[in-house]
Amino acid sequence: MPASEISAGHVIVKSLAAHGVKRVYVVPGESFLDVLDGLHDSPIDTVVCRHEGGAAYMAEADGKLGELPGIAMVTRGPGAANAHVGLHTAWQDSTAMVLFVGLIPFEHREKEAFQEFDPKAWFDTGAKRVMILDHPERASEVVAEAMFAAVSGRPGPVVVGLPEDIITQPNDGIIHPQIPVAQGGMTVTDWKALKSALMEAERPLFVFGGNDWTDEGADTFTQWLESHNLPAAAEWRCEGTVPFGSPSYVGPLGYGRPQHTHEVLDGSDLLVFVGTVPGDVITDGFTARQNWERKNFIVTIDPSLRGRSGPVTHQIVAKPDVFVRDLVRMDLPVCDSWRTWTNELRAKQVEFSTPPSAEPGDGQAKMATMMANLVKRLDEDAMVTFGAGEHTNWAHRYFPTNGYASMISARNGSMGYSVPSAVAASLQYPKRQVISIAGDGEFLMNAQELATAKQYGATPLIIVMDNQEYGTIRTHQERAYPKRVSGTQLENPDFALYAQAFGGYGVRVEQDKDIPGALDEALKATENGQFALIHLIVEQRVKAY
């Protein structure tokens, strides 16, 4: 090709770099070799993963950790199928993510060629857009459109198909400029309506959530709440936007929530949802907050209010940071009723979240002892990641999330998320403590990504709570089919030896008295550049609450 032209695959890489992308998560395939070649001399770090599900989870976690979409690249057919789980997580969690999928050559289309599939048929109902690059001259434009679609409105996943013969064709190399994203904001009508509702309320509650905040917005929001003695609760698995130790933070909502935050949904005379909506999990299966006389304000950039249940008094179309920018200009008196209400809720949260004694007891290891000792050893900016299962409740209850994006999890209840998300978080923040709390069933679904951690120097501490079962499913089973345990029991290997085989530090803990020493050694290993794993053998039916 002429010297002035480069391949469409190389233009894709240059366009991602122009958007500020620093890292892509890849499982290579012959279908997108030209893109891989473009990454060779690119400033973008290429993180080679061991399974497409792990790569997609890492990209989804990356989308939660920063202001740009997370980027994954996989191959056609089986590779795309394996990545689908991360796409579903991004869809339900409203996470900005772009999945690039190598495809069969354009000329082989609709002949049932090797690994052929229809990207639109597979992904159209679970992605914001599905785009196929059929013209090499549009390569940069398609990247810009995909990045824009992922972050505009309610964030979510976008799929870009790359036919292997198209990406090798010449392109003029012109990079499409980044497309600006509308932020919304409060109108005068919005501002007056919210101020009036707040001044009339005696028991208001803010509910924060979503992945569309920044550190600055979260800090400003917290300061405003505290200065007005107003309470705030966290959407399920979104803790940290208002810090764990804030006098305004009153606890998490959703599955495994403390009783006081469930009751407050109907006990409040004004709810203001910021960055999220009162959906299925928050409202306990669309049952709470259904009284149409109660006031609900919803602040979201998504005008469709997708996923919302119950009444809506007023919608404010704005991203959280812009809403907070306008909110802090509101001149509100500090009401005694707000102070009393907030203090009452805060006291219940403090009681609920205070760890038990860190002093080990006799006998088998206990997760309560592990959490009490872990909390004592955490840095102020420590992060926690986890997938799905009853083991996550220990983090919900006790882990001190002290800033936005300090809890990274899958709100679609997806298992296998713990290790990939921990790797992504550690690569994004190499100087921070990253702790992942995994269940024994959940851990092995993507434990192979410990190899990725070793290869790229990620240093999370992974605590595997081993109760030899799929605990959440067993709990439901006991409720519906008492004393008929079926399909939920597990026999596990030695996870400590598994971690050592991948080049990390691993220790197996069976006795409660051994927990403090094991934690000290594991954390020391992470400080010295290793990932670490504690295999904690606990009783089968142990629960956080």
Side-chain angles (χ1 to χ4, degrees):
M1 65 185 68
S4 60
E5 294 183 330
I6 62 175
S7 68
H10 282 226
V11 168
I12 288 169
V13 174
K14 289 183 178 295
S15 296
L16 289 172
H19 277 77
V21 171
K22 292 182 169 52
R23 188 176 296 109
V24 298
Y25 298 94
V26 171
V27 176
E30 65 272 28
S31 58
F32 63 105
L33 288 177
D34 196 72
V35 175
L36 291 175
D37 186 69
L39 287 166
H40 183 274
D41 297 320
S42 167
I44 298 173
D45 291 334
T46 304
V47 179
V48 182
C49 304
R50 300 307 178 97
H51 188 273
E52 291 89 356
Y57 276 145
M58 289 185 202
E60 196 276 345
D62 225 29
K64 286 176 172 147
L65 289 164
E67 297 181 36
L68 294 173
I71 309 295
M73 295 181 177
V74 302
T75 196
R76 58 205 178 195
N82 286 340
H84 208 151
V85 65
L87 202 76
H88 183 264
T89 304
W91 176 263
Q92 287 225 314
D93 285 25
S94 302
T95 307
M97 170 185 172
V98 180
L99 175 67
F100 290 91
V101 181
L103 300 178
I104 62 166
F106 181 89
E107 63 185 37
H108 293 175
R109 195 174 295 174
E110 297 183 356
K111 296 181 179 180
E112 201 172 343
F114 178 63
Q115 297 184 339
E116 181 178 6
F117 76 104
D118 184 342
K120 290 185 180 291
W122 277 25
F123 297 126
D124 230 3
T125 60
K128 293 185 71 176
R129 290 186 68 180
V130 179
M131 310 166 69
I132 311 297
L133 179 64
D134 283 340
H135 304 281
E137 68 273 10
R138 295 191 62 196
S140 186
E141 177 192 350
V142 166
V143 171
E145 289 286 349
M147 297 291 282
F148 170 75
V151 297
S152 61
R154 170 177 159 171
V158 174
V159 177
V160 179
L162 305 175
E164 66 175 280
D165 55 342
I166 299 298
I167 59 176
T168 62
Q169 294 180 23
N171 186 296
D172 60 17
I174 297 174
I175 303 302
H176 194 287
Q178 189 169 344
I179 303 171
V181 176
Q183 303 290 315
M186 276 204 273
T187 66
V188 173
T189 301
D190 295 333
W191 196 86
K192 288 181 178 179
L194 180 58
K195 181 175 181 179
S196 175
L198 283 167
M199 293 186 69
E200 292 173 4
E202 293 186 354
R203 300 181 309 281
L205 176 72
F206 283 77
V207 179
F208 58 86
N211 309 312
D212 217 6
W213 296 75
T214 65
D215 292 339
E216 181 181 0
D219 290 345
T220 303
F221 182 54
T222 300
Q223 293 168 19
W224 184 85
L225 290 169
E226 291 177 357
S227 68
H228 289 85
N229 295 314
L230 284 165
E235 179 186 9
W236 190 52
R237 298 184 172 173
C238 279
E239 296 171 47
T241 302
V242 176
F244 197 79
S246 169
S248 285
Y249 179 59
V250 299
L253 293 162
Y255 299 142
R257 74 287 181 275
Q259 188 60 29
H260 74 270
T261 56
H262 178 64
E263 293 171 349
V264 81
L265 286 178
D266 286 324
S268 170
D269 55 7
L270 171 64
L271 287 181
V272 183
F273 295 87
V274 186
T276 187
V277 298
D280 175 18
V281 178
I282 288 180
T283 61
D284 210 6
F286 305 117
T287 61
R289 200 67 179 187
Q290 301 301 301
N291 186 330
W292 290 80
E293 295 181 359
R294 298 191 184 277
K295 291 183 178 180
N296 294 334
F297 277 61
I298 301 178
V299 182
T300 170
I301 195 65
D302 178 13
S304 75
L305 290 178
R306 193 175 73 239
R308 179 268 315 164
S309 93
V312 179
T313 306
H314 194 104
Q315 182 187 8
I316 298 173
V317 182
K319 286 184 176 285
D321 277 33
V322 176
F323 167 74
V324 171
R325 177 203 66 191
D326 297 341
L327 180 68
V328 297
R329 299 171 183 167
M330 193 175 290
D331 183 21
L332 285 174
V334 178
C335 302
D336 289 338
S337 62
W338 295 354
R339 182 181 292 107
T340 302
W341 165 248
T342 303
N343 289 346
E344 175 187 329
L345 295 175
R346 176 63 186 169
K348 292 178 179 178
Q349 165 61 12
V350 169
E351 180 182 3
F352 173 76
S353 62
T354 299
S357 170
E359 187 65 29
D362 297 328
Q364 191 165 0
K366 299 177 181 62
M367 193 62 185
T369 306
M370 172 61 74
M371 290 304 299
N373 279 273
L374 176 66
V375 168
K376 290 172 54 178
R377 291 162 170 79
L378 291 175
D379 295 340
E380 179 70 16
D381 63 350
M383 304 174 65
V384 64
T385 82
F386 46 81
E390 288 188 336
H391 60 277
T392 65
N393 290 336
W394 297 93
H396 283 302
R397 183 167 189 175
Y398 297 122
F399 198 96
T401 46
N402 291 315
Y404 173 61
S406 54
M407 176 179 283
I408 305 299
S409 182
R411 292 192 294 280
N412 71 332
S414 189
M415 299 177 73
Y417 189 82
S418 59
V419 174
S421 59
V423 172
S426 185
L427 292 177
Q428 178 78 354
Y429 297 107
K431 296 183 179 180
R432 291 173 66 173
Q433 283 180 331
V434 176
I435 313 295
S436 191
I437 298 177
D440 51 329
E442 192 271 345
F443 169 72
L444 269 184
M445 291 188 177
N446 271 306
Q448 77 283 341
E449 299 304 341
L450 293 178
T452 307
K454 173 64 175 175
Q455 183 171 349
Y456 296 97
T459 59
L461 165 59
I462 299 156
I463 299 170
V464 182
M465 179 181 141
D466 183 354
N467 62 354
Q468 303 89 52
E469 67 179 359
Y470 289 116
T472 300
I473 311 307
R474 168 77 182 274
T475 295
H476 288 292
Q477 188 172 67
E478 291 284 3
R479 188 180 301 124
Y481 303 95
K483 299 181 180 179
R484 291 179 59 81
V485 179
S486 175
T488 56
Q489 301 306 286
L490 300 172
E491 183 174 327
N492 293 315
D494 188 324
F495 295 136
L497 292 178
Y498 185 91
Q500 293 169 25
F502 281 98
Y505 174 85
V507 60
R508 180 182 173 96
V509 178
E510 300 186 36
Q511 297 296 308
D512 213 45
K513 63 182 176 60
D514 296 328
I515 287 176
L519 260 176
D520 287 337
E521 291 302 311
L523 288 170
K524 186 184 300 182
T526 65
E527 293 168 3
N528 292 332
Q530 279 185 293
F531 73 82
L533 183 148
I534 298 175
H535 183 184
L536 191 74
I537 313 297
V538 300
E539 294 177 2
Q540 197 162 64
R541 293 276 74 206
V542 63
K543 297 184 180 182
Y545 43 91

